[in-house]
Amino acid sequence: MKDFLVLFREADGRKANKHTQEEIQAHRENWAEWFAQWTKAGNLVGGNSLSLEGRMIKGDGDIITDQIHQVGTEIVGGFLLLKAESLEQATAIAASCPIYEFDGYAEIRGMQNQ
């Protein structure tokens, strides 16, 4: 099995939430079911959503700002570590996740030196 990183990008719904509490609750339940399914299958190694608090470090490491990388309203909202036989299998797993319910998208990257 190979290791893959999945980055989730999405509009920051925590700042300008356009979803009802019922939709948010259903979305959370869908995530919980999805995590349980792929953890049980042995493909999900780890992952989490990310807070809005962070720092950017630039230059020679001497420019530090209290912000996260954001393009428009889009942020990296979370990540997963997957184990899969191939990029195709990792893609199929990530394609089944609930990120797309709220117009997010995923980027899958294999770990080097495997």
Side-chain angles (χ1 to χ4, degrees):
M1 296 261 261
K2 297 177 181 177
D3 295 321
F4 295 89
L5 173 69
V6 181
L7 294 173
F8 292 118
R9 292 188 171 90
E10 58 195 324
D12 184 8
R14 295 171 283 191
K15 287 187 176 178
N17 196 344
K18 63 180 180 179
H19 303 287
T20 67
Q21 286 302 316
E22 293 80 17
E23 290 171 325
I24 292 168
Q25 183 59 37
H27 186 63
R28 287 179 180 152
E29 290 170 8
N30 292 343
W31 271 110
E33 290 172 16
W34 187 85
F35 270 100
Q37 173 189 355
W38 293 107
T39 298
K40 184 178 179 181
N43 296 95
L44 184 58
V45 178
N48 211 329
S49 58
L50 299 172
S51 75
L52 295 177
E53 184 178 339
R55 292 198 172 132
M56 296 278 288
I57 304 169
K58 296 182 179 180
D60 290 333
D62 58 344
I63 302 171
I64 301 171
T65 56
D66 288 330
Q67 66 183 31
I68 60 173
H69 180 73
Q70 187 170 343
V71 177
T73 62
E74 183 182 287
I75 61 170
V76 175
F79 70 97
L80 292 176
L81 299 173
L82 294 179
K83 287 206 172 283
E85 294 296 330
S86 63
L87 178 58
E88 289 73 22
Q89 184 187 26
T91 301
I93 293 168
S96 71
C97 81
I99 190 73
Y100 314 105
E101 295 172 352
F102 283 4
D103 297 324
Y105 64 98
E107 176 184 355
I108 304 165
R109 306 276 297 272
M111 303 289 184
Q112 283 191 333
N113 302 321
Q114 290 192 51

